[in-house]
Amino acid sequence: MSYIKDVKVKFEELRNKKDVTILAIESSCDETAIAIVRNGREVLSNVISSQIEIHRRFGGVVPEVASRNHLLAISNLYEEALKEANITINQIDAIAVTYGAGLVGALLVGVNFAKGLAYSQNLPLIAVNHIHGHIASNYISHQKLEPPFVCLMVSGGHTALLKISDYTKQKLIGSTVDDAVGEAFDKVARVLGLSYPGGPEIDKLAKKGENIIKFTVSNALSKTYNFSFSGIKTAVINYVHNKEQKKENICKENVARSFEECVTDELCTKSLRATKASGYKKLVIAGGVGANSMLREKMTNLAKKENIEVYFPVLKYCTDNAAMIGSAAYYYIQKGLGRADLSLTARPTIDL
Ligand code: KG4
Ligand code: ZN
């Protein structure tokens, strides 16, 4: 039988198979990652090669450099992932890969590796939306968590509120009209002279600072579920430049703390309001900024008062990884979605 016909049958069979073991690949930005996940919840292995150190000296991700380093890392990671899971490729039921959104050259490395592997092993290929992966990071973090819930998606590329009515059904109810929140963290960190990626650096510094500088977000969107972070980002940049021009000292800790308080207040207020309006009882956070300690603490306390259950991914699954892609792929398969053929290519932007 031809590859296409053969894997179509295999893909259909997976819906009724008791145990489904997926090898998943993620290379959308600066982490090359491969994981093996069983039945959407059990992570048998999760290996990551981070390029953070490589990009740090440039102050951000350099796309060309990212693609080359994905290429260098991916084959070894594949061997490692199988070894860590203590299984062979013959025990894998499907290959999943992030095909967007992300840096196109970086995505292409993962997509082409996945296509080669799927073809050579005669396995179904599942194309996964990176954002769906971030949402699924909560299924591998909380074994009992099930939809429906409201999801606050906060990463370097996205800021959105989504109504998740089922594993593969999501409705966008709000998003950023300009910068993603992670982007704002990274740019504020940069103006403060902190290293890349800025989010974790701001997080650390803010703990030592006081909330005494008056930064605000625009209230033009206050009645909606949309966000805007470019105003506060510019306000911080202007504050720092002003101080520098006047040769005044800048207390970086206070800047970080005041910025972080304002941004996390905005994220908490809108997500809790959206959850109450949805009638759902659960709020789930996804994406790299979900690692922020002030956001985790503030949201947990405020949600308790509203009788809303709040879930954050465990820290290792907040930022990019392949285990979350393997989990999302399992739920696609259950609904007969996501099957790709060898014409699959990378998509730099993609709808939620
Ligand atoms: O989800 P992610 O790993 O990649 C994207 O899909 O974008 O998110 C990366 C973003 C970066 O902007 C990074 O600065 C931010 O998540 N981030 C944090 C923290 N850890 C990572 N932002 C605030 N506080 C943190 N602790
Ligand atoms: Zn991500």
Side-chain angles (χ1 to χ4, degrees), residues 26 28-29 31 101 130-131 133-134 153-158 286-288 318-321 324-325:
E26 155 66 40
S28 65
C29 191
E31 325 276 0
H130 184 74
I131 298 302
H134 273 301
M153 171 70 222
V154 274
S155 72
H158 290 86
C318 270
T319 44
D320 292 346
N321 64 88
M324 66 185 195
I325 303 301

Side-chain angles (χ1 to χ4, degrees), residues 19-176:
D19 285 319
V20 179
T21 308
I22 298 176
L23 184 143
I25 301 169
E26 155 66 40
S27 69
S28 65
C29 191
D30 57 348
E31 325 276 0
T32 328
I34 302 195
I36 297 173
V37 182
R38 187 167 288 155
N39 301 333
R41 299 276 178 166
E42 194 190 345
V43 181
L44 304 185
S45 68
N46 180 44
V47 295
I48 303 185
S49 163
S50 173
Q51 302 176 13
I52 285 179
E53 288 308 323
I54 297 167
H55 296 283
R56 187 163 276 153
R57 67 192 140 123
F58 303 109
V61 179
V62 182
E64 270 302 307
V65 175
S67 322
R68 280 168 201 232
N69 282 285
H70 284 310
L71 262 180
L72 291 176
I74 201 158
S75 302
N76 285 343
L77 282 184
Y78 166 69
E79 301 292 342
E80 246 182 81
L82 286 172
K83 200 167 158 204
E84 195 180 294
N86 199 20
I87 61 175
T88 68
I89 188 68
N90 298 328
Q91 291 164 274
I92 298 291
D93 295 304
I95 306 296
V97 65
T98 303
Y99 75 109
L103 301 169
V104 73
L107 287 163
L108 276 171
V109 176
V111 166
N112 283 311
F113 191 86
K115 286 202 290 192
L117 197 56
Y119 184 63
S120 65
Q121 300 300 322
N122 225 20
L123 289 171
L125 176 66
I126 319 293
V128 179
N129 178 333
H130 184 74
I131 298 302
H132 298 169
H134 273 301
I135 299 167
S137 68
N138 283 282
Y139 302 139
I140 49 176
S141 300
H142 309 284
Q143 295 297 314
K144 298 237 154 60
L145 175 68
E146 286 180 357
F149 50 77
V150 166
C151 175
L152 171 69
M153 171 70 222
V154 274
S155 72
H158 290 86
T159 304
L161 274 165
L162 303 141
K163 249 175 116 166
I164 313 290
S165 54
D166 200 354
Y167 284 103
T168 56
K169 283 197 189 125
Q170 49 277 319
K171 186 170 173 245
L172 185 66
I173 51 176
S175 61
T176 177

Side-chain angles (χ1 to χ4, degrees), residues 8-19:
K8 201 169 169 198
V9 174
K10 282 190 183 174
F11 178 79
E12 296 301 332
E13 284 170 359
L14 287 182
R15 288 167 81 168
N16 301 315
K17 193 167 181 284
K18 185 174 162 281
D19 285 319

